[in-house]
Amino acid sequence: MTKILGLYFSGTGNTSFAVKRFVAGLSTNQASTLAITDPKAIEEVKNHDLIIFAYPIYFSDAPKIVKDYINENKDKFFGKQIFVIATQGVASGDGAGVGARLFKKHGAKVVGGLHVKMSDSVADAWVYRNQNHAVKTAKSSEKIDKAVARFVAGKPTKHGFGACGRVVGFSMQRLWFGRLTKSYRNKPKISHTDCVSCGACVRECPLGNLQLRDGELTQNEKCTLCYRCVNLCPNRALTILGRKVYKQHIQE
């Protein structure tokens, strides 16, 4: 029986939700899911035949933390079957294709990919202030279930793998905003007037970018734009791209 591992990076929980639903839908007791930030995750790769690898899309690109993880552990992924899941706010063009190409470069066998539209985590953007999270989650669940059925039938989806998607992803976003995912950022912006030093963001930052020093929150210029801190802050004291937090979202 094929042993399946769901491996993911998730900012506000959208990607975690998507990969866990996909893996659960495969109906096997030989499946498990782990975040790439879990120290045990990469060692588990060698014990599994099929990796369902999931990440959120930023500007039609994979987060730097994800690309670094794949590159640093390329020997572990060599020869493994990979199915890529890319969660996105509106569209990405070739979101799953970005990861697929990187895996193929390192000798993995990419068997398919899926784009899943979820609530956007960019809480400091005015355009996303009226998102209906429940509706988006219901629609994404239906799409994931259909993709699982296709996978089981031996006809996995291959979203974002074609030349058209790659052109759209590059011309619409990476060409203009690609620099934002090339390196870690000098973010988030901290409103010390609003920050109450509760430490929620410090505990949840996947890169340890945030610290409390003498009771004051500081950042170490190693932000991967996951927006976890912005959406978790009880006092809306953090922003990344915008200046004001409009509507926070953490997927349960």
Side-chain angles (χ1 to χ4, degrees):
M1 182 178 291
T2 300
K3 295 188 68 176
I4 302 168
L5 174 66
L7 200 57
Y8 67 92
F9 173 69
S10 190
T12 59
N14 289 327
T15 307
S16 172
F17 171 86
V19 70
K20 288 177 180 178
R21 189 175 184 97
F22 192 96
V23 169
L26 294 177
S27 301
T28 171
N29 58 9
Q30 296 294 314
S32 58
T33 56
L34 291 169
I36 64 172
T37 50
D38 187 323
K40 303 187 298 293
I42 196 60
E43 288 305 312
E44 282 299 309
V45 170
K46 65 183 179 183
N47 300 321
H48 293 78
D49 310 301
L50 171 64
I51 312 299
I52 312 298
F53 194 96
Y55 53 85
I57 286 298
Y58 306 148
F59 309 106
S60 291
D61 205 349
K64 180 168 171 54
I65 188 175
V66 169
K67 290 186 286 187
D68 284 354
Y69 189 82
I70 296 172
N71 287 327
E72 291 168 5
N73 298 289
K74 58 185 179 182
D75 58 318
K76 301 289 197 309
F77 293 113
F78 182 84
K80 295 291 182 180
Q81 293 185 70
I82 308 285
F83 184 90
V84 180
I85 297 178
T87 57
Q88 55 194 30
V90 179
S92 66
D94 61 340
V98 170
R101 292 192 294 273
L102 191 55
F103 277 119
K104 287 180 179 179
K105 175 183 176 181
H106 297 316
K109 301 174 183 177
V110 180
V111 297
L114 174 66
H115 287 168
V116 183
K117 187 181 294 186
M118 302 286 290
S119 293
D120 205 294
S121 63
V122 185
D124 54 357
W126 180 84
V127 69
Y128 299 122
R129 74 196 187 286
N130 292 323
Q131 294 184 95
N132 190 319
H133 303 310
V135 170
K136 285 192 173 183
T137 299
K139 289 182 177 179
S140 66
S141 297
E142 182 179 354
K143 185 173 185 179
I144 292 167
D145 293 344
K146 288 181 178 179
V148 168
R150 288 196 53 166
F151 188 94
V152 172
K155 300 178 180 179
T157 55
K158 295 184 178 181
H159 296 168
F161 285 15
C164 181
R166 189 169 184 175
V167 169
V168 171
F170 177 77
S171 62
M172 296 300 290
Q173 293 206 61
R174 287 197 297 278
L175 175 63
W176 312 103
F177 307 109
R179 68 188 186 284
L180 297 177
T181 59
K182 296 298 182 184
S183 60
Y184 293 114
R185 312 301 299 173
N186 181 20
K187 303 289 181 182
K189 293 171 282 188
I190 304 167
S191 170
H192 293 290
T193 301
D194 296 320
C195 178
V196 294
S197 302
C198 68
C201 59
V202 175
R203 292 189 295 273
E204 295 297 331
C205 178
L207 285 166
N209 181 48
L210 296 164
Q211 293 183 355
L212 283 172
R213 292 174 178 162
D214 298 323
E216 184 172 275
L217 184 65
T218 62
Q219 56 94 354
N220 300 313
E221 302 185 7
K222 198 177 181 182
C223 175
T224 192
L225 306 179
C226 77
Y227 264 84
R228 193 180 298 182
C229 63
V230 176
N231 285 274
L232 281 169
C233 180
N235 230 35
R236 299 189 172 188
L238 302 169
T239 54
I240 292 180
L241 298 178
R243 297 181 178 181
K244 174 184 176 182
V245 176
Y246 293 94
K247 187 174 183 178
Q248 295 166 305
H249 168 64
I250 294 292
Q251 177 74 44
E252 297 297 334

